Amino acid sequence: MKLAAKIALFIWIGIILVISIDAYLSLRRDLETFRGDMIRDARQYGRIVQGVTASLWQERGGTEAFNFLREAARESHPMRIRLVLPNAPPGDPRAPLVGNLGPRALRPGAEVVVEAPQVGEEGLLVTYRPIVVNDEIKALLEIAEPMTELREYANSALWRAAALLAGSLAASGVLILIAGMHLVGRPLQKLMDKTRRIGSGDFGGPLKLKGRGELSTLAEALNQMCEQLALSHRKIQEESEARVAA
């Protein structure tokens, strides 16, 4: 059974590698798709709110625009939307959640998407879109989406992969144990019994194993060796008897 255990070990290593690589690639692909869906949702929603906010700012001023966003934020769950000032110092209520956005967010028509895992317990995917009034950027529209569902999906996928791996290892272990006993263990035991009988001088009882594998070939070789040993033993015995009779 030591041979079966070694075979099982190599098979288990192969199963672990295959399932782990497949789980990693699948999870990476699914998370990218999930993240892409979140970005598209924020983009579609942001374009609408961005246009309305810019028009309202131009017609009624910044105060009305900020008030409109505060009201809209109550209806945007689970998204969190608000107007922020790019140059507001940290701690200011109108400061962006993500600092150091740089000039990339201060261009008309720009869209900046940033992952902020350190913000909140679940982390956030934050999108920034500039509010442009008369060719001047007045503020940034900040859309923050909790990454709770993304992390829950990742955890669920990891648990599924772990369950699949455990099930595969258990099933392969049982199959290898059964196959090892029938295909390797029992034939090897018969071969060992045969060699012990040969060692004790018993050359009779040819060994028969099913199949045409290496073990069957070895059994046939043992049978031929036993025939030759038995023939030599009889010849030596006959010569000894002849000398005694003489």
mmCIF file of all heavy atoms in Angstrom, residues 80 97 114-120 122-126 144-147 151:
data_model
loop_
_atom_site.group_PDB
_atom_site.id
_atom_site.type_symbol
_atom_site.label_atom_id
_atom_site.label_comp_id
_atom_site.label_asym_id
_atom_site.label_seq_id
_atom_site.Cartn_x
_atom_site.Cartn_y
_atom_site.Cartn_z
ATOM 1 N N ARG A 80 -23.290 56.229 -2.769
ATOM 2 C CA ARG A 80 -23.192 57.442 -1.968
ATOM 3 C C ARG A 80 -22.692 58.560 -2.874
ATOM 4 O O ARG A 80 -21.571 58.476 -3.388
ATOM 5 C CB ARG A 80 -22.219 57.234 -0.801
ATOM 6 C CG ARG A 80 -22.512 55.985 0.029
ATOM 7 C CD ARG A 80 -21.394 55.751 1.039
ATOM 8 N NE ARG A 80 -21.521 54.435 1.671
ATOM 9 C CZ ARG A 80 -20.626 53.932 2.528
ATOM 10 N NH1 ARG A 80 -19.543 54.634 2.852
ATOM 11 N NH2 ARG A 80 -20.803 52.724 3.056
ATOM 12 N N LEU A 97 -13.127 61.848 -0.569
ATOM 13 C CA LEU A 97 -12.746 60.676 0.236
ATOM 14 C C LEU A 97 -11.334 60.220 -0.093
ATOM 15 O O LEU A 97 -10.599 59.751 0.773
ATOM 16 C CB LEU A 97 -13.733 59.525 -0.018
ATOM 17 C CG LEU A 97 -15.134 59.663 0.575
ATOM 18 C CD1 LEU A 97 -16.008 58.521 0.085
ATOM 19 C CD2 LEU A 97 -15.076 59.670 2.095
ATOM 20 N N VAL A 114 -11.286 55.090 -8.559
ATOM 21 C CA VAL A 114 -10.259 54.737 -7.579
ATOM 22 C C VAL A 114 -10.828 53.734 -6.589
ATOM 23 O O VAL A 114 -11.962 53.897 -6.121
ATOM 24 C CB VAL A 114 -9.758 55.985 -6.810
ATOM 25 C CG1 VAL A 114 -8.620 55.606 -5.864
ATOM 26 C CG2 VAL A 114 -9.327 57.071 -7.770
ATOM 27 N N GLU A 115 -10.055 52.684 -6.299
ATOM 28 C CA GLU A 115 -10.437 51.767 -5.227
ATOM 29 C C GLU A 115 -9.882 52.305 -3.910
ATOM 30 O O GLU A 115 -8.716 52.662 -3.835
ATOM 31 C CB GLU A 115 -9.904 50.358 -5.488
ATOM 32 C CG GLU A 115 -10.663 49.605 -6.543
ATOM 33 C CD GLU A 115 -10.304 48.128 -6.577
ATOM 34 O OE1 GLU A 115 -9.774 47.629 -5.561
ATOM 35 O OE2 GLU A 115 -10.546 47.485 -7.616
ATOM 36 N N ALA A 116 -10.758 52.360 -2.910
ATOM 37 C CA ALA A 116 -10.353 52.850 -1.595
ATOM 38 C C ALA A 116 -10.663 51.788 -0.554
ATOM 39 O O ALA A 116 -11.644 51.875 0.182
ATOM 40 C CB ALA A 116 -11.077 54.157 -1.277
ATOM 41 N N PRO A 117 -9.833 50.734 -0.475
ATOM 42 C CA PRO A 117 -10.105 49.646 0.483
ATOM 43 C C PRO A 117 -9.979 50.073 1.931
ATOM 44 O O PRO A 117 -10.503 49.414 2.828
ATOM 45 C CB PRO A 117 -9.053 48.588 0.121
ATOM 46 C CG PRO A 117 -7.950 49.360 -0.538
ATOM 47 C CD PRO A 117 -8.613 50.498 -1.254
ATOM 48 N N GLN A 118 -9.270 51.186 2.168
ATOM 49 C CA GLN A 118 -9.049 51.629 3.540
ATOM 50 C C GLN A 118 -10.195 52.493 4.059
ATOM 51 O O GLN A 118 -10.208 52.861 5.236
ATOM 52 C CB GLN A 118 -7.736 52.421 3.640
ATOM 53 C CG GLN A 118 -7.781 53.814 3.041
ATOM 54 C CD GLN A 118 -7.651 53.828 1.528
ATOM 55 O OE1 GLN A 118 -7.596 52.777 0.903
ATOM 56 N NE2 GLN A 118 -7.610 55.006 0.938
ATOM 57 N N VAL A 119 -11.156 52.853 3.191
ATOM 58 C CA VAL A 119 -12.275 53.705 3.588
ATOM 59 C C VAL A 119 -13.451 52.827 3.992
ATOM 60 O O VAL A 119 -13.945 52.036 3.184
ATOM 61 C CB VAL A 119 -12.685 54.653 2.446
ATOM 62 C CG1 VAL A 119 -13.870 55.518 2.887
ATOM 63 C CG2 VAL A 119 -11.508 55.527 2.035
ATOM 64 N N GLY A 120 -13.897 52.952 5.241
ATOM 65 C CA GLY A 120 -15.009 52.146 5.711
ATOM 66 C C GLY A 120 -14.583 50.716 5.985
ATOM 67 O O GLY A 120 -13.457 50.306 5.730
ATOM 68 N N GLU A 122 -15.918 47.987 4.544
ATOM 69 C CA GLU A 122 -15.967 47.134 3.365
ATOM 70 C C GLU A 122 -15.130 47.659 2.209
ATOM 71 O O GLU A 122 -14.925 46.963 1.220
ATOM 72 C CB GLU A 122 -17.421 46.979 2.897
ATOM 73 C CG GLU A 122 -18.048 48.227 2.274
ATOM 74 C CD GLU A 122 -18.534 49.249 3.285
ATOM 75 O OE1 GLU A 122 -18.276 49.066 4.489
ATOM 76 O OE2 GLU A 122 -19.171 50.222 2.877
ATOM 77 N N GLY A 123 -14.629 48.898 2.299
ATOM 78 C CA GLY A 123 -13.918 49.494 1.187
ATOM 79 C C GLY A 123 -14.884 50.081 0.177
ATOM 80 O O GLY A 123 -16.072 49.726 0.151
ATOM 81 N N LEU A 124 -14.395 50.977 -0.649
ATOM 82 C CA LEU A 124 -15.258 51.667 -1.596
ATOM 83 C C LEU A 124 -14.613 51.705 -2.976
ATOM 84 O O LEU A 124 -13.386 51.731 -3.107
ATOM 85 C CB LEU A 124 -15.531 53.110 -1.139
ATOM 86 C CG LEU A 124 -16.279 53.308 0.181
ATOM 87 C CD1 LEU A 124 -16.287 54.781 0.555
ATOM 88 C CD2 LEU A 124 -17.699 52.766 0.100
ATOM 89 N N LEU A 125 -15.465 51.708 -3.996
ATOM 90 C CA LEU A 125 -15.047 51.992 -5.361
ATOM 91 C C LEU A 125 -15.584 53.386 -5.670
ATOM 92 O O LEU A 125 -16.793 53.586 -5.758
ATOM 93 C CB LEU A 125 -15.610 50.959 -6.330
ATOM 94 C CG LEU A 125 -15.146 51.077 -7.781
ATOM 95 C CD1 LEU A 125 -13.663 50.755 -7.885
ATOM 96 C CD2 LEU A 125 -15.936 50.128 -8.682
ATOM 97 N N VAL A 126 -14.673 54.348 -5.824
ATOM 98 C CA VAL A 126 -15.064 55.759 -5.898
ATOM 99 C C VAL A 126 -14.824 56.288 -7.309
ATOM 100 O O VAL A 126 -13.750 56.090 -7.890
ATOM 101 C CB VAL A 126 -14.277 56.610 -4.882
ATOM 102 C CG1 VAL A 126 -14.861 58.022 -4.817
ATOM 103 C CG2 VAL A 126 -14.320 55.964 -3.496
ATOM 104 N N ALA A 144 -19.568 56.954 -4.594
ATOM 105 C CA ALA A 144 -18.870 55.892 -3.853
ATOM 106 C C ALA A 144 -19.783 54.667 -3.756
ATOM 107 O O ALA A 144 -20.932 54.776 -3.324
ATOM 108 C CB ALA A 144 -18.485 56.375 -2.459
ATOM 109 N N GLU A 145 -19.272 53.533 -4.180
ATOM 110 C CA GLU A 145 -20.027 52.281 -4.141
ATOM 111 C C GLU A 145 -19.359 51.322 -3.168
ATOM 112 O O GLU A 145 -18.168 51.021 -3.302
ATOM 113 C CB GLU A 145 -20.078 51.637 -5.522
ATOM 114 C CG GLU A 145 -20.746 52.479 -6.584
ATOM 115 C CD GLU A 145 -20.668 51.828 -7.944
ATOM 116 O OE1 GLU A 145 -21.573 51.057 -8.294
ATOM 117 O OE2 GLU A 145 -19.669 52.084 -8.656
ATOM 118 N N PRO A 146 -20.089 50.828 -2.169
ATOM 119 C CA PRO A 146 -19.499 49.848 -1.232
ATOM 120 C C PRO A 146 -19.081 48.585 -1.979
ATOM 121 O O PRO A 146 -19.777 48.119 -2.895
ATOM 122 C CB PRO A 146 -20.625 49.577 -0.239
ATOM 123 C CG PRO A 146 -21.562 50.721 -0.378
ATOM 124 C CD PRO A 146 -21.474 51.169 -1.805
ATOM 125 N N MET A 147 -17.947 48.030 -1.602
ATOM 126 C CA MET A 147 -17.438 46.809 -2.226
ATOM 127 C C MET A 147 -17.855 45.567 -1.450
ATOM 128 O O MET A 147 -17.231 44.516 -1.567
ATOM 129 C CB MET A 147 -15.915 46.891 -2.330
ATOM 130 C CG MET A 147 -15.438 48.069 -3.178
ATOM 131 S SD MET A 147 -13.634 48.263 -3.217
ATOM 132 C CE MET A 147 -13.162 46.786 -4.103
ATOM 133 N N ARG A 151 -16.705 41.685 -2.218
ATOM 134 C CA ARG A 151 -15.952 40.880 -1.265
ATOM 135 C C ARG A 151 -16.738 39.624 -0.876
ATOM 136 O O ARG A 151 -16.156 38.550 -0.690
ATOM 137 C CB ARG A 151 -15.610 41.718 -0.031
ATOM 138 C CG ARG A 151 -14.721 42.904 -0.348
ATOM 139 C CD ARG A 151 -14.276 43.645 0.899
ATOM 140 N NE ARG A 151 -13.524 44.844 0.576
ATOM 141 C CZ ARG A 151 -12.257 44.858 0.198
ATOM 142 N NH1 ARG A 151 -11.591 43.728 0.104
ATOM 143 N NH2 ARG A 151 -11.641 46.000 -0.085
#
